[in-house]
Amino acid sequence: MAVKIYFASHKGGAGTTTCAVGVGLALAHSGERVLFVDGDLRYPAGLTISGCAGLQVYTIEEARRGACRVKQVIIEHPRSPNFFIMPCYGCADRKYISSAAGEVESQFDYVLCDRAARDKCDRAVAICEPYPTGIKGADICLNELTDCGFEGAGVIVNKVNGGLVYDGAIMPPADIAALLHAPLMGIIPEDLTIPLGGMRQDSVKAFKMTAARIASGAGKIYPAMRGYAGIGGYIKRKMRRKI
C-alpha cells in the first residue's frame, strides 16, 4: 500500500508545490514509484517546476466526465521514470480528485498530495518560509492539520538563506520547528532558479536529504549555514545584501 503524504501551507507562495515535487523526484531517484497529485485547480505549476510542461494529453475533468480513464491523465516524467504527475487543474470537484487518487494509489509506493485528496492521506507536512508571516502561516496550518486528524505533522522550512541565518536576520530552521512544536523534516535553501524550471545542486541535495528523512523518520538535515562562515562567507553575505 502506498504511503500517502499531504503537503500543505496556509500562506500562498510558501513553496508547497516546489517541495512536493522536489521530495517526489528525490524519492523516485532512490527507486520508489511516486505519484504527485497537483491540487492547483487554476494552473498546473507542478508540470512547470518538474520540467513536464506541455506533456499533458488528458485532464482530470475529462476523466470525471468519462472521456478517458484516470490512468490516462497521469504523466510519466521523461527523465525520471519513477516519477508520475496527476494534474488536477480545471476540475472543481475535489471529491472526484480524492476518488481518482484512491483509484490508482495501489500502483505506487508514495502518493504526494499537494493540497488535494487530504482525506486519502495518512501523514502530513507543512511548508514554512523562515519569515514572520511564513512562521505564523505555518502555525495556523499545523493547527488545522491537527484538527483534521494528522498527529505529529512535520515541517519543511523552505527558501532558507544561510547568510541571513548567520547574520541573525532570520531564525535558524531548528528554532522555527521548535517554536512550532513540530518535527523538522527538512531545510530547503533559497534557489531563484526553481521558478525558471531549474534547480541548483545544493537544492537537489537538500531534497534528497529531506526525502530520506521523510521516508525513514531519521537522517541528516541540510546544513543551510555551511559556506557562510569565514572571510569567504563574509564576502558572500555582503554580496547577497547588495544584490
Side-chain angles (χ1 to χ4, degrees), residues 8 29 32 47 75 92 130 145 160 163 166 171 181 205-206 223 230:
H29 185 265
E32 307 286 358
L47 292 179
I75 302 163
L145 290 172
V160 176
Y166 195 94
M171 292 175 62
H181 303 288
K205 180 179 180 181

PDB file of all heavy atoms in Angstrom, residues 8 29 32 47 75 92 130 145 160 163 166 171 181 205-206 223 230:
ATOM      1  N   ALA A   8       1.001  20.816   2.700  1.00  0.00           N
ATOM      2  CA  ALA A   8       0.079  21.928   2.919  1.00  0.00           C
ATOM      3  C   ALA A   8       0.819  23.190   3.333  1.00  0.00           C
ATOM      4  O   ALA A   8       1.949  23.144   3.823  1.00  0.00           O
ATOM      5  CB  ALA A   8      -0.941  21.557   4.001  1.00  0.00           C
ATOM      6  N   HIS A  29      14.234   9.018  -7.521  1.00  0.00           N
ATOM      7  CA  HIS A  29      15.650   8.761  -7.821  1.00  0.00           C
ATOM      8  C   HIS A  29      16.185   7.609  -6.979  1.00  0.00           C
ATOM      9  O   HIS A  29      17.097   6.872  -7.409  1.00  0.00           O
ATOM     10  CB  HIS A  29      16.468  10.024  -7.567  1.00  0.00           C
ATOM     11  CG  HIS A  29      17.909   9.905  -7.958  1.00  0.00           C
ATOM     12  ND1 HIS A  29      18.892   9.552  -7.063  1.00  0.00           N
ATOM     13  CD2 HIS A  29      18.541  10.069  -9.163  1.00  0.00           C
ATOM     14  CE1 HIS A  29      20.056   9.524  -7.674  1.00  0.00           C
ATOM     15  NE2 HIS A  29      19.875   9.823  -8.947  1.00  0.00           N
ATOM     16  N   GLU A  32      11.853   4.539  -5.675  1.00  0.00           N
ATOM     17  CA  GLU A  32      10.437   4.451  -5.320  1.00  0.00           C
ATOM     18  C   GLU A  32       9.565   4.955  -6.473  1.00  0.00           C
ATOM     19  O   GLU A  32       9.940   5.891  -7.177  1.00  0.00           O
ATOM     20  CB  GLU A  32      10.146   5.291  -4.071  1.00  0.00           C
ATOM     21  CG  GLU A  32      11.028   4.996  -2.877  1.00  0.00           C
ATOM     22  CD  GLU A  32      10.687   3.691  -2.189  1.00  0.00           C
ATOM     23  OE1 GLU A  32       9.729   3.018  -2.612  1.00  0.00           O
ATOM     24  OE2 GLU A  32      11.383   3.339  -1.218  1.00  0.00           O
ATOM     25  N   LEU A  47       3.736  20.848 -13.251  1.00  0.00           N
ATOM     26  CA  LEU A  47       4.288  20.441 -14.543  1.00  0.00           C
ATOM     27  C   LEU A  47       5.469  21.328 -14.924  1.00  0.00           C
ATOM     28  O   LEU A  47       6.474  20.845 -15.446  1.00  0.00           O
ATOM     29  CB  LEU A  47       3.206  20.523 -15.623  1.00  0.00           C
ATOM     30  CG  LEU A  47       2.052  19.521 -15.518  1.00  0.00           C
ATOM     31  CD1 LEU A  47       1.048  19.751 -16.646  1.00  0.00           C
ATOM     32  CD2 LEU A  47       2.560  18.096 -15.554  1.00  0.00           C
ATOM     33  N   ILE A  75       0.907  11.571 -16.033  1.00  0.00           N
ATOM     34  CA  ILE A  75       2.053  11.831 -16.904  1.00  0.00           C
ATOM     35  C   ILE A  75       3.308  11.220 -16.291  1.00  0.00           C
ATOM     36  O   ILE A  75       3.591  11.427 -15.108  1.00  0.00           O
ATOM     37  CB  ILE A  75       2.262  13.355 -17.079  1.00  0.00           C
ATOM     38  CG1 ILE A  75       1.009  14.002 -17.663  1.00  0.00           C
ATOM     39  CG2 ILE A  75       3.471  13.641 -17.941  1.00  0.00           C
ATOM     40  CD1 ILE A  75       0.983  15.499 -17.495  1.00  0.00           C
ATOM     41  N   ALA A  92     -13.231  21.221 -10.523  1.00  0.00           N
ATOM     42  CA  ALA A  92     -13.624  21.822  -9.250  1.00  0.00           C
ATOM     43  C   ALA A  92     -14.180  20.789  -8.273  1.00  0.00           C
ATOM     44  O   ALA A  92     -14.457  21.123  -7.120  1.00  0.00           O
ATOM     45  CB  ALA A  92     -14.663  22.917  -9.488  1.00  0.00           C
ATOM     46  N   PRO A 130      10.942  31.089   6.269  1.00  0.00           N
ATOM     47  CA  PRO A 130      11.600  31.478   7.524  1.00  0.00           C
ATOM     48  C   PRO A 130      11.424  32.959   7.879  1.00  0.00           C
ATOM     49  O   PRO A 130      12.365  33.603   8.354  1.00  0.00           O
ATOM     50  CB  PRO A 130      13.067  31.140   7.251  1.00  0.00           C
ATOM     51  CG  PRO A 130      13.222  31.398   5.785  1.00  0.00           C
ATOM     52  CD  PRO A 130      11.915  30.963   5.160  1.00  0.00           C
ATOM     53  N   LEU A 145      -4.116  21.075  10.474  1.00  0.00           N
ATOM     54  CA  LEU A 145      -3.810  19.674  10.217  1.00  0.00           C
ATOM     55  C   LEU A 145      -4.129  18.808  11.435  1.00  0.00           C
ATOM     56  O   LEU A 145      -4.655  17.690  11.305  1.00  0.00           O
ATOM     57  CB  LEU A 145      -2.345  19.515   9.830  1.00  0.00           C
ATOM     58  CG  LEU A 145      -1.947  20.078   8.452  1.00  0.00           C
ATOM     59  CD1 LEU A 145      -0.434  20.024   8.274  1.00  0.00           C
ATOM     60  CD2 LEU A 145      -2.633  19.310   7.330  1.00  0.00           C
ATOM     61  N   VAL A 160      15.502  28.981   2.606  1.00  0.00           N
ATOM     62  CA  VAL A 160      16.402  29.408   3.676  1.00  0.00           C
ATOM     63  C   VAL A 160      17.691  29.958   3.081  1.00  0.00           C
ATOM     64  O   VAL A 160      18.382  29.263   2.324  1.00  0.00           O
ATOM     65  CB  VAL A 160      16.724  28.239   4.629  1.00  0.00           C
ATOM     66  CG1 VAL A 160      17.734  28.677   5.683  1.00  0.00           C
ATOM     67  CG2 VAL A 160      15.456  27.718   5.276  1.00  0.00           C
ATOM     68  N   GLY A 163      23.080  32.918   4.833  1.00  0.00           N
ATOM     69  CA  GLY A 163      23.688  34.183   5.236  1.00  0.00           C
ATOM     70  C   GLY A 163      22.796  34.971   6.168  1.00  0.00           C
ATOM     71  O   GLY A 163      23.268  35.591   7.133  1.00  0.00           O
ATOM     72  N   TYR A 166      22.978  33.358   9.517  1.00  0.00           N
ATOM     73  CA  TYR A 166      24.262  33.665  10.146  1.00  0.00           C
ATOM     74  C   TYR A 166      24.269  35.085  10.703  1.00  0.00           C
ATOM     75  O   TYR A 166      24.821  35.343  11.784  1.00  0.00           O
ATOM     76  CB  TYR A 166      25.383  33.487   9.118  1.00  0.00           C
ATOM     77  CG  TYR A 166      26.762  33.416   9.718  1.00  0.00           C
ATOM     78  CD1 TYR A 166      27.341  32.180  10.029  1.00  0.00           C
ATOM     79  CD2 TYR A 166      27.499  34.566   9.979  1.00  0.00           C
ATOM     80  CE1 TYR A 166      28.608  32.106  10.577  1.00  0.00           C
ATOM     81  CE2 TYR A 166      28.762  34.502  10.517  1.00  0.00           C
ATOM     82  CZ  TYR A 166      29.311  33.270  10.827  1.00  0.00           C
ATOM     83  OH  TYR A 166      30.572  33.199  11.378  1.00  0.00           O
ATOM     84  N   MET A 171      15.406  33.386  11.865  1.00  0.00           N
ATOM     85  CA  MET A 171      15.643  32.345  12.860  1.00  0.00           C
ATOM     86  C   MET A 171      16.246  31.112  12.204  1.00  0.00           C
ATOM     87  O   MET A 171      15.918  30.787  11.062  1.00  0.00           O
ATOM     88  CB  MET A 171      14.327  31.961  13.549  1.00  0.00           C
ATOM     89  CG  MET A 171      13.729  33.029  14.416  1.00  0.00           C
ATOM     90  SD  MET A 171      12.097  32.493  15.070  1.00  0.00           S
ATOM     91  CE  MET A 171      12.597  31.058  16.041  1.00  0.00           C
ATOM     92  N   HIS A 181       6.502  23.584  17.513  1.00  0.00           N
ATOM     93  CA  HIS A 181       6.264  22.287  18.179  1.00  0.00           C
ATOM     94  C   HIS A 181       6.016  21.189  17.146  1.00  0.00           C
ATOM     95  O   HIS A 181       5.095  20.377  17.281  1.00  0.00           O
ATOM     96  CB  HIS A 181       5.071  22.385  19.143  1.00  0.00           C
ATOM     97  CG  HIS A 181       5.214  23.445  20.185  1.00  0.00           C
ATOM     98  ND1 HIS A 181       6.083  23.336  21.252  1.00  0.00           N
ATOM     99  CD2 HIS A 181       4.604  24.657  20.319  1.00  0.00           C
ATOM    100  CE1 HIS A 181       6.010  24.418  22.004  1.00  0.00           C
ATOM    101  NE2 HIS A 181       5.130  25.237  21.460  1.00  0.00           N
ATOM    102  N   LYS A 205      20.477  18.218  -3.423  1.00  0.00           N
ATOM    103  CA  LYS A 205      20.992  17.518  -2.249  1.00  0.00           C
ATOM    104  C   LYS A 205      20.048  17.691  -1.070  1.00  0.00           C
ATOM    105  O   LYS A 205      19.768  16.728  -0.329  1.00  0.00           O
ATOM    106  CB  LYS A 205      22.382  18.044  -1.899  1.00  0.00           C
ATOM    107  CG  LYS A 205      23.003  17.372  -0.686  1.00  0.00           C
ATOM    108  CD  LYS A 205      24.386  17.929  -0.404  1.00  0.00           C
ATOM    109  CE  LYS A 205      25.015  17.273   0.812  1.00  0.00           C
ATOM    110  NZ  LYS A 205      26.367  17.827   1.105  1.00  0.00           N
ATOM    111  N   ALA A 206      19.531  18.920  -0.882  1.00  0.00           N
ATOM    112  CA  ALA A 206      18.628  19.189   0.231  1.00  0.00           C
ATOM    113  C   ALA A 206      17.342  18.374   0.112  1.00  0.00           C
ATOM    114  O   ALA A 206      16.837  17.835   1.103  1.00  0.00           O
ATOM    115  CB  ALA A 206      18.302  20.680   0.292  1.00  0.00           C
ATOM    116  N   PRO A 223      22.663  21.301   5.784  1.00  0.00           N
ATOM    117  CA  PRO A 223      23.349  22.349   6.560  1.00  0.00           C
ATOM    118  C   PRO A 223      23.283  23.701   5.845  1.00  0.00           C
ATOM    119  O   PRO A 223      24.194  24.072   5.086  1.00  0.00           O
ATOM    120  CB  PRO A 223      24.789  21.825   6.646  1.00  0.00           C
ATOM    121  CG  PRO A 223      24.955  21.014   5.391  1.00  0.00           C
ATOM    122  CD  PRO A 223      23.611  20.402   5.096  1.00  0.00           C
ATOM    123  N   GLY A 230      33.607  32.490   7.960  1.00  0.00           N
ATOM    124  CA  GLY A 230      34.922  32.887   7.487  1.00  0.00           C
ATOM    125  C   GLY A 230      34.881  34.062   6.521  1.00  0.00           C
ATOM    126  O   GLY A 230      33.846  34.665   6.276  1.00  0.00           O
TER     127      GLY A 230
END
